Every structure is written in C-alpha cells, then in structure tokens.
Amino acid sequence: MTPQKTTAPVDMIIVGAGFAGLYQLYRARRMGLSVKLLEAGDGVGGTWYWNRYPGARCDVESLDYSYSFSEELQQEWNWSERYAPQAEILRYINHVADRFDLRKDIQLETRVASANFDDASARWTVITEAGERFDGQYLIMATGCLSIPQPPDFKGLETFKGDWYHSANWPREGVDFAGKRVGLIGTGSSGVQMTPVIAEQAAHLTVFQRTANFSVPAQNEPLTEATLAHVKAHYAERRALGREAVTGQFLSANDKSALEVSDEDRLKEFEFRWRGAGGGFRMLRAFNDLMRNPIANQYAGDFVRGKIRATVKDPVKAEILCPKPDLPFGTKRLCVDTHYYETFNRDNVDLVDVKAHPITEITPTGLRTTQGHHELDAIVFATGFDAMTGALLAMDIRGTGGQSLREKWAAGPRTYLGVSIAGFPNLFVIAGPGSPSVLSNVVHSIETHVDWISNFIEHSRSRGTRRIEAEQAHEDQWVDHVNEVANQTLYPVGNSWYLGANMPGKPRVFMPYVAGVPAYRRIIEGVAEKNYEGFAQA
Ligand code: N01
C-alpha cells in the first residue's frame, strides 16, 4: 500500500457512521468545526447497517432507542412497533443523515487502518486501508462496541458445500431458507432473535447451543396512533425519566429487595414484568438487588427456568434450555425474544447441546458433534463479536511517543471516564469501555458522550488550548473504580463478552461501568465543572 496524498486538514475526524458518529458530526458542524467522517460500509447505520439477519430488531424500546437532541425529529418520526425491526431503524438513521444534511462530510467504503498522533503539531494522521491520508486535530472513535464479528473458527468449514452466514455480515438481498435444512450456532441475542423466524421459513432448523442463556419475552406490539400521540405530547418527561434511570431508559424500577417481600409478592412482581405491561429489560429491575445478591438473583433465575419448563413441552429440550447455576441471571446480556422458547415445540426444530457434545468439525454436508452427524444445507453463525475493544484494536492507533494502543491495552482496556485514554491526546471514544455503554440504552449514552466531548472541545478552543490529554493518575483511579463497582455485583461471574470471555486469549477484564447512567453522568459533569479535572490542557 502506497500512502496517497493527505486530503485537506480538518478540525475533526470521526470514525464510524452509526448513531454515535452521525450525532458527533451534527454537533461538530454546529460548533463550526470542519469535519470528515470515515465509514467502512457503503451506507450509514453502523450496527444497523451490518446486522440484517432475520428477526433483527432493537431490544430497547424504539421510543427511547432514538435521538432526543432534536424535538422536530422526535415529533415527526413514527415508530411502527415497540421494538422496531432493523430495516426501520436503518431507515431512521438514513432519514437523520438526510434531514440534517450530514452526508456531504461522510466518506463511505473507507476503512481506517491506522492513526498516528504527532506531538509537535498535536494533530492526528489517519491512514485508510486504501492508503488515503487524513489530517485532523481531534479524532473521535465512534466505532461501536459490537462491530467486529467473531469469525467462525471451525475445522472443515472450507469444505462445506452449502452456504454459510454470520449474523453481523448478512447478505443485503436477504436469504431464502425455504425448503432448506438450516443449522444455527449461537444462542445469544442474535441467535435468539432469528430462531423463531428461520424456523418458520426453513424445512428444518437445528439450534446448536453451547451455553443456555436467559431470555425474556419482549412483549413487542404495534404502536398505535394514540400511544404515539401520547408519548409525543410528553416526550420531554419521558426523556427526563430516562436520564434518571440506571439504564437510561425508564423501566419502573422497584426499589425493594427480593428478600424483603413474601414469596407470593415476589412471584407477582416477576409475573408482571414477564407479561404484557412489562416485558424486556423490566425483568432486571424487578428488585433492587438482583445483580448484587446471589439469593435474589436465584429467585429471578428460578422464575425464568419455571417459565421455560412450562413453555417447552419436551422435558429434555426444556432442561437443555434452562440456564445452569454457574450463570447468574442477567450476567450475560439478557436476551429479549418473541416466541423463542415456544419455537422448540415445533416439529421442524431440534436442539443440540454442544456443551455436552461439542462440535468436532464441519463436513461437506453438515456438522459433526461428538454424538453424531447433522445433515445441513446452510449454516448460520450467531457467534458474537470481539466486543468493546475489537474495533479500536483492529486499527493501529499510536499516541504520544509512538506508543501503541494495542500494547497499552494488552492486559485489557484502560480509559479515563470511558471516554479518553492517557497518552492519546485529542482522541475520544464514544460509549467505549469504562462507561455505561452496553449496559445502558446506548443511544442515550451516545448522546451524553457526544454532548460532553463537544462541550469539552468548545471549552478548550475558547481558551486557545490545542491539546487535551487524560492524566495517567486519573486514568488509573478510574480503572480501579470501574473494577471496584463491578466487583460489588454478580456481573463478573458470568462468562460474558462484557468480560472478553467469549474470545479465546482475550484478557478478562469487566469492561462496562456498572454504576448506572445517572451516577456516571454526575461524575463526568462534576469533572467538567472543575475545569475538566484529570485532563492536561495545553
Ligand atoms: O453474540 P453473543 P450475539 N461453538 O456473544 C455461541 C447485541 N445484540 O451476536 O455463550 C458454539 O451474545 C456463544 O456460546 P457461549 C447484544 O448486546 C443486540 O448474539 O460463548 N457456540 C453464544 O451462545 C448482544 O449481547 C441485539 O457458550 C459458540 C453465541 O454464540 C450482543 O450484541 C441483537 C461458539 C454468541 O452470543 C452480542 O450478541 C443482537 C462456538 N465455537 C445482538 N462461539 C438487540 O436486540 C460462540 N458461540 C438490540
């Protein structure tokens, strides 16, 4: 690759055109900055551009999982369902790009290979895989937490004569499974969402499950005109409630311990959250100690196991689907489904426990486990992502003195406030490790970060400083704090991608900040009020 000539310098380079990158571009423009946004895909949308698998939809309600920065936008857009499908979310993001005339600063089909900070000029040089060079004062990583798919690493895959797909790299034209025998590997959110849909299309579906995860019903439904009108008339209140909710989405949290109520009342609360008026992540807010107290947590786990056994008619399948005691409820990202467990009552759906009988190889005609061979026409991998750090470490990012981010993060990610990295001046990460990020309504967290970063840059420029850099001591304290609060919860017990446990060889560090959105916002606002304490500004 021969580096090409540098394009005209800009104030800000943004990497990624998902929810985060687009809002950062909007804010930077309003601050009068010149901006270039680089995006690997040939369209905007980030996660919602790539993840087009059947059944893909958000698991945070669309009325919350949407931008709040523009009153006009939230008044004019009509979500069709409580949890909008992928295609609708992608239409929304495209609408935002058009409505705010963002496309003129976006360069598509441009994957960043490296970024180098120059100490003398306090500027970043970004080089793309095609060898194009960009020069910017600020570098904003809006690269997403779940954007680098875990490649399927199965012996014999190259010999398979059928077609295979990864959930995060789905053919744009869709896939017709009619008449096919389909194998699905992976039962996280992606696998759980696509199972009922593929089961309806395919002649036969075999789900290969390694770890039984907890899934709760979404209770998805169409949004009526009356509901939309009501929400729009009170949108400011809804957003304000979201800001004060632990996850950035109001889910009527119950501030009681699961241990302080009677068995009957506990069951009533769980039932309420499982059924129509509840649904989705409301279950996690049923009691205030589900993620802290192992007994409270077990009550929730037992409740869901009871539901699985009551739903799945075949007791052998039901037991395989029941999460085991070594996985506390909610410590792997809770799945939110529509008829997932019911699907295993269909005649054309089988379930294979690949923890008990591991996959040994993919063959030309299917897949072999230690127990036998399964004939398949197509294989779907819903095997997840190199989460939170994958996209950042896929690039060769070098800060002061040429230090490499890959080396700095060799033992796990280290940030100050989840937004900045000591030794990497003028670089900000949106909704990255060390922030509430994936434990929250991420669109809310994105807006919080973009607003905070933008205000900081405005503040710095108004004072004539050119360089912003997190101080090492403050970063160390933040990392300790993130670990300390995580260790007060049950989260680190689950072998989840939150910990990097899904990637062979990845360091096990609990990456998101668990103290919740309001607590986090108060911390970063406090830092700003103290002239951005913990940052060197020169
Ligand atoms: O990935 P995952 P995902 N052999 O890592 C299994 C977001 N999301 O794409 O648990 C056999 O959760 C693996 O098994 P195990 C959401 O934040 C949101 O489903 O490692 N199995 C697991 O079952 C979510 O959490 C939505 O034992 C193998 C599965 O593959 C995140 O994205 C929708 C295997 C991977 O599950 C990731 O979800 C979709 C192997 N070699 C995703 N390797 C919304 O609803 C892996 N597995 C918004």
Side-chain angles (χ1 to χ4, degrees), residues 79-394:
W79 292 108
S80 67
E81 294 175 65
R82 199 171 180 184
Y83 302 91
Q86 171 272 334
E88 185 173 337
I89 303 173
L90 191 57
R91 269 203 307 282
Y92 170 78
I93 299 176
N94 275 283
H95 169 74
V96 170
D98 293 330
R99 192 190 195 291
F100 298 102
D101 192 21
L102 300 178
R103 294 191 200 271
K104 62 177 185 248
D105 291 325
I106 300 175
Q107 182 169 319
L108 300 171
E109 295 181 88
T110 304
R111 191 175 282 278
V112 170
S114 67
N116 288 279
F117 182 73
D118 176 56
D119 277 296
S121 63
R123 294 181 70 85
W124 284 91
T125 301
V126 168
I127 304 180
T128 70
E129 282 186 353
E132 217 175 337
R133 297 167 75 99
F134 295 88
D135 171 345
Q137 185 180 0
Y138 306 104
L139 177 58
I140 311 290
M141 293 303 184
T143 41
C145 289
L146 296 154
S147 35
I148 301 290
Q150 158 123 268
D153 182 19
F154 292 91
K155 186 179 148 205
L157 178 58
E158 69 290 351
T159 68
F160 184 56
K161 291 208 190 100
D163 295 317
W164 65 265
Y165 311 91
H166 191 288
S167 59
N169 210 349
W170 204 259
R172 193 181 293 208
E173 62 283 8
V175 178
D176 183 5
F177 288 120
K180 300 252 167 78
R181 296 163 301 175
V182 181
L184 167 61
I185 302 176
T187 52
S189 303
S190 304
V192 162
Q193 282 189 333
M194 67 174 102
T195 292
V197 185
I198 297 181
E200 283 201 353
Q201 292 173 1
H204 191 272
L205 171 67
T206 309
V207 176
F208 296 91
Q209 174 197 275
R210 188 165 66 182
T211 303
N213 198 2
F214 289 97
S215 190
V216 295
Q219 305 295 5
N220 192 23
E221 59 185 6
L223 289 173
T224 62
E225 274 183 33
T227 304
L228 285 173
H230 179 79
V231 170
K232 287 182 184 185
H234 301 91
Y235 229 140
E237 290 155 50
R238 186 179 177 112
R239 299 289 192 188
L241 283 171
R243 277 166 65 83
E244 288 310 317
V246 173
T247 56
Q249 183 200 15
F250 180 67
L251 296 171
S252 60
N254 178 9
D255 200 18
K256 282 189 184 150
S257 159
L259 279 58
E260 74 180 66
V261 298
S262 67
D263 290 352
E264 195 189 349
D265 285 349
R266 194 182 310 111
L267 201 61
K268 226 159 99 188
E269 187 67 33
F270 285 141
E271 273 298 341
F272 164 71
R273 283 159 194 277
W274 184 270
R275 288 179 187 284
F281 289 115
R282 279 174 184 77
M283 186 60 75
L284 276 171
R285 308 262 84 78
F287 294 99
N288 63 12
D289 51 357
L290 294 187
M291 299 312 295
R292 292 178 186 278
N293 183 314
I295 299 169
N297 186 285
Q298 197 183 329
Y299 283 134
D302 287 345
F303 174 80
V304 178
R305 279 184 280 269
K307 288 290 184 193
I308 297 169
R309 290 181 183 121
T311 306
V312 180
K313 292 184 184 134
D314 176 345
V316 177
K317 279 186 187 168
E319 283 321 298
I320 295 173
L321 287 165
C322 279
K324 306 301 172 282
D326 61 353
L327 179 66
F329 175 76
T331 57
K332 272 194 178 184
R333 162 102 173 189
L334 193 61
C335 299
V336 177
D337 72 85
T338 298
H339 306 317
Y340 177 62
Y341 294 119
E342 292 85 339
T343 299
F344 292 94
N345 292 331
R346 294 177 64 110
D347 292 338
N348 70 334
V349 176
D350 279 333
L351 176 66
V352 175
D353 178 354
V354 296
K355 186 158 271 169
H357 311 288
I359 298 169
T360 50
E361 61 174 343
I362 310 255
T363 68
T365 57
L367 181 158
R368 195 182 314 281
T369 70
T370 52
Q371 203 179 31
H373 189 261
H374 299 265
E375 295 283 321
L376 300 170
D377 304 309
I379 303 178
V380 175
F381 297 96
T383 42
F385 299 85
D386 183 356
M388 303 206 77
T389 56
L392 291 166
L393 298 182

Side-chain angles (χ1 to χ4, degrees), residues 14 16-29 37 39 44-46 67 69 92-98 100 102-103 106 142 430 446 450:
I14 302 169
F19 270 102
L22 292 191
Y23 181 44
Q24 183 62 75
L25 171 53
Y26 170 84
R27 278 296 311 259
R29 281 247 199 94
L37 189 157
E39 162 58 47
V44 301
Y67 291 120
F69 71 84
Y92 170 78
I93 299 176
N94 275 283
H95 169 74
V96 170
D98 293 330
F100 298 102
L102 300 178
R103 294 191 200 271
I106 300 175
I430 299 174
I446 283 168
V450 169

Side-chain angles (χ1 to χ4, degrees), residues 499-517:
L499 266 175
N502 64 325
M503 294 284 297
K506 187 164 172 166
R508 292 203 177 194
V509 175
F510 192 81
M511 296 183 278
Y513 181 57
V514 298
V517 158

